[in-house]
């Protein structure tokens, strides 16, 4: 069995996974997301490391009680942001979350000067304030001493791997954002130069080759109750791990992660980076060199739902009941779902994007507001998946997929069957599948895919949601010219 660990934005989970994809046991632990003035959103790396060690130790103890040998430790977790550390893996200041907005000014300058478009042409990376490029530039301007003290400018997963194994590394999926050319799987010196960051090239760890495994150190092994030298797999990060773990196997198939971010991605067999158009989304290298993921990760997903439920005085347990209380179209209420402080990054980039409700009246109910936001997120998912080149089936996962009614809305808006896992934890399962591949003992992917259940679109609402989607796109076009920096 393998311990799969997913170090999320606010929760770290570890599962003891069987080869059929089922979990013998799962433990979770919350970590704190610190929101500070100036759009700063940070983690305490020590707290995140402690959360990972705690859930791994709990699952390792369960494996020992069940007399189940652990073959490997497989890690995945949040991507983007910036996690600075020294040669020993100790943090150099707080970790900066992908939700951070401090680099909005950098991104505005890069957009005006052409840097953003040039970088997109070089690596296919769409920038947003919480991505590593703008964050490095912001620190170089405002806190250069932090960069001078750092040995590595990395991400969440490789930070934890560094502390557990002593190795300085990064998965190609994380490294793809934004300086790696996914076609060659090497860093682009020109991309760093264009951003004015070539002096910091030495902070970027070299991506590990496919099927690389690291070894758990003796000290960590004693702390976790695992064998010294246990193989450790370091990635991919959560979005590609979810695509793998939710059953995406064929080119053209899509993955929808209904989580804190609305992660929309399509498996592709070639990278198409062209000039012109929106400088949005990203191309990720995957564990298979012949496959790439075209990713359109909207900034906010279930956080929108949490916000609107809080505004109407409800909680997530009431979601399906509220959706049952209103019809498709939410009584004429429409919404745009751009609630993130740092704007939107897919399928367009605008750090000043903002959400809205329209069609309100004195007859509008609490349930109408909730349904309008749920439908808006489904429209956003379709917009992103189509922009990513979707041609096949769609698999979904994440906390939002637990709602049967919301999953039905997604299927209806997409006009495609939506495949859902029998159990949660697609990211940890994708990391575990990658680890079994590296061990030379791959799992039966067809068996894993066959264990999914399917929500099918309803023919009777197909026309309504097709019109609704067109109206959503028109509302977006009307809104975009009015977004502007807040003075």
């Amino acid at each position: 069995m393998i311990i799969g660990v997913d170090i999320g934005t606010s929760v770290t989970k570890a599962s003891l996974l069987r080869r059929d994809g089922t979990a013998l046991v799962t433990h979770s632990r919350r970590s704190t997301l610190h929101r500070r003035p100036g759009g700063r959103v940070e983690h305490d790396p020590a707290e995140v490391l402690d959360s990972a060690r705690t859930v791994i130790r709990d699952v390792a103890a369960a494996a020992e009680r069940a007399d189940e040998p652990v073959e490997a430790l497989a890690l995945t977790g949040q991507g983007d942001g910036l996690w600075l550390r020294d040669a020993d893996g100790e943090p150099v200041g707080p970790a900066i979350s992908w939700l951070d907005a401090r680099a909005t000014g950098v991104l505005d300058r890069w957009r005006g000067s052409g840097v953003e478009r040039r970088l997109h042409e070089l690596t296919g990376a769409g920038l947003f304030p919480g991505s590593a490029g703008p964050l490095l530039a912001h620190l170089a301007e405002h806190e250069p001493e932090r960069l001078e003290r750092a040995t590595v400018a990395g991400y969440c997963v490789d930070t934890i791997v560094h502390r557990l194994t002593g190795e300085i590394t990064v998965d190609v999926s994380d490294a793809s954002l934004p300086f790696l050319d996914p076609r060659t799987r090497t860093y682009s010196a020109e991309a760093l130069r264009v951003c004015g960051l070539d002096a910091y090239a030495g902070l970027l760890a070299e991506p590990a080759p496919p099927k690389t495994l690291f070894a758990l150190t003796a000290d960590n092994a004693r702390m976790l109750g695992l064998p010294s030298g246990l193989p450790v797999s370091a990635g991919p990060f959560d979005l590609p791990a979810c695509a793998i773990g939710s059953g995406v196997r064929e080119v053209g198939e899509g993955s929808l992660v209904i989580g804190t971010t609305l992660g929309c991605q399509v498996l592709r067999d070639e990278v198409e980076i062209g000039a012109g158009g929106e400088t949005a989304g990203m191309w990720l290298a995957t564990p298979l060199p012949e496959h790439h993921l075209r990713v359109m990760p909207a900034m906010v997903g279930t956080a929108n739902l949490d916000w609107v439920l809080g505004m109407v005085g409800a909680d997530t347990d009431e979601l399906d009941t509220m959706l049952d209380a209103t019809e498709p179209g939410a009584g004429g209420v429409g919404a745009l779902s751009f609630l993130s402080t740092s704007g939107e990054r897919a399928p367009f980039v605008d750090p000043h994007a903002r959400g809205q409700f329209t069609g309100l009246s004195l007859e509008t109910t609490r349930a109408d507001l909730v349904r309008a936001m749920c439908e808006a997120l489904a429209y956003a998912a379709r917009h992103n998946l189509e922009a990513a080149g979707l041609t096949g089936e769609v698999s979904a996962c994440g906390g939002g997929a637990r709602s049967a009614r919301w999953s039905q809305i997604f299927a209806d808006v997409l006009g495609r069957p939506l495949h859902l896992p029998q159990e949660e934890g697609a990211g940890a399962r994708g990391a575990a599948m990658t680890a079994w591949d590296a061990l030379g003992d791959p799992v039966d992917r067809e068996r894993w895919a066959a264990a999914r259940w399917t929500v099918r679109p309803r023919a009777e609402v197909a026309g309504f949601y097709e019109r609704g989607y067109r109206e959503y796109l028109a509302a977006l076009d009307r809104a975009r010219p009015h977004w502007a920096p807040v003075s």
Side-chain angles (χ1 to χ4, degrees):
M1 303 184 80
I2 281 181
I3 298 178
V5 186
D6 189 347
I7 310 154
T9 304
S10 56
V11 178
T12 298
K13 293 183 179 180
S15 298
L16 186 59
L17 297 169
R18 303 180 180 94
R19 287 184 58 81
D20 64 359
T22 59
L24 179 65
V25 65
T26 296
H27 286 274
S28 64
R29 185 179 179 93
R30 298 194 67 84
S31 53
T32 309
L33 200 60
H34 300 279
R35 295 184 180 273
R36 310 191 193 282
R40 296 172 180 244
V41 185
E42 298 173 337
H43 291 280
D44 176 354
E47 183 191 26
V48 175
L49 175 63
D50 181 64
S51 74
R53 282 174 168 162
T54 298
V55 294
I56 294 168
R57 185 167 54 245
D58 290 345
V59 171
E64 184 175 11
R65 288 193 299 269
D67 196 24
E68 292 284 356
V70 175
E71 300 173 68
L73 189 60
L75 303 181
T76 185
Q78 58 181 297
D80 295 301
L82 189 64
W83 297 58
L84 296 172
R85 57 191 193 270
D86 64 19
D88 296 321
E90 293 292 338
V92 178
I96 304 175
S97 168
W98 61 273
L99 290 165
D100 195 275
R102 76 187 70 187
T104 298
V106 171
L107 201 55
D108 285 340
R109 293 198 302 271
W110 283 4
R111 180 171 293 113
S113 65
V115 169
E116 179 188 46
R117 180 163 296 282
R118 179 57 181 152
L119 182 62
H120 188 266
E121 292 171 354
L122 290 166
T123 69
L127 298 178
F128 65 101
S131 55
L135 287 171
L136 278 169
H138 178 88
L139 292 181
E141 181 178 352
H142 298 283
E143 300 180 68
E145 68 282 357
R146 281 186 65 182
L147 299 182
E148 291 169 5
R149 300 200 323 266
T151 301
V152 187
Y155 305 89
C156 174
V157 175
D158 53 272
T159 296
I160 304 303
V161 170
H162 192 170
R163 295 303 299 275
L164 295 182
T165 70
E167 299 285 352
I168 296 176
T169 185
V170 67
D171 187 77
V172 286
S173 59
D174 265 321
S176 296
L177 308 172
F179 302 117
L180 190 91
D181 184 338
R183 295 163 294 195
T184 63
R185 300 167 76 95
T186 59
Y187 291 116
S188 167
E190 176 65 8
L192 284 157
R193 188 197 65 77
V194 164
C195 295
L197 296 169
D198 40 332
Y200 301 104
L203 296 179
L204 305 181
E206 282 302 312
K211 300 185 178 181
T212 297
L213 292 169
F214 303 98
L216 190 65
T217 66
D219 287 346
N220 278 291
R222 283 191 295 272
M223 185 184 305
L224 300 175
L226 291 168
S228 179
L230 181 76
V232 177
S233 176
F237 80 89
D238 56 5
L239 280 179
C242 281
I244 296 167
S246 63
V248 173
R249 296 175 297 155
E250 302 294 333
V251 171
E253 290 183 349
S255 168
L256 174 61
V257 184
I258 314 171
T260 304
T261 185
L262 194 65
C264 305
Q265 46 195 339
V266 176
L267 190 65
R268 306 283 292 270
D269 58 359
E270 57 183 351
V271 177
E272 299 173 356
I273 300 175
E278 297 278 5
T279 57
M282 53 193 72
W283 288 92
L284 298 182
T286 75
L288 298 176
E290 67 272 21
H291 281 165
H292 297 82
L293 282 165
R294 178 60 166 144
V295 184
M296 292 287 177
M299 280 300 293
V300 179
T302 53
N304 290 55
L305 177 62
D306 294 339
W307 177 84
V308 73
L309 287 172
M311 292 296 287
V312 303
D315 58 39
T316 53
D317 293 339
E318 300 175 70
L319 176 59
D320 281 359
T321 300
M322 298 191 81
L323 291 177
D324 281 339
T326 181
E327 297 294 323
V333 179
L336 295 179
S337 59
F338 312 113
L339 301 186
S340 172
T341 305
S342 51
E344 188 51 273
R345 60 177 174 176
F348 58 89
V349 177
D350 191 328
H352 309 292
R354 292 295 179 263
Q356 67 180 39
F357 282 99
T358 57
L360 301 174
S361 75
L362 292 176
E363 296 180 353
T364 297
T365 67
R366 298 160 66 238
D368 289 333
L369 294 173
V370 172
R371 176 178 276 274
M373 184 57 73
C374 286
E375 290 180 342
L377 285 162
Y379 291 137
R382 177 172 170 180
H383 194 190
N384 279 287
L385 285 167
E386 289 183 351
L390 178 69
T391 59
E393 300 181 348
V394 180
S395 299
C397 62
R402 292 197 296 267
S403 166
R405 302 298 185 271
W406 198 10
S407 294
Q408 185 65 64
I409 290 173
F410 277 107
D412 290 337
V413 168
L414 293 172
R416 299 170 186 267
L418 192 67
H419 301 297
L420 301 169
Q422 295 288 352
E423 298 185 31
E424 296 179 44
R429 284 170 174 77
M433 293 169 77
T434 302
W436 267 307
D437 287 345
L439 290 168
D441 190 19
V443 299
D444 185 343
R445 281 167 164 72
E446 290 188 11
R447 182 182 178 188
W448 283 43
R452 300 175 299 179
W453 62 286
T454 302
V455 179
R456 302 194 179 279
R458 297 171 294 176
E460 63 269 24
V461 296
F464 177 87
Y465 277 122
E466 186 63 35
R467 292 189 299 274
Y469 179 55
R470 301 303 163 191
E471 291 168 2
Y472 166 85
L473 295 178
L476 177 57
D477 286 341
R478 290 192 297 270
R480 288 187 68 177
H482 299 286
W483 295 332
V486 177
S487 59

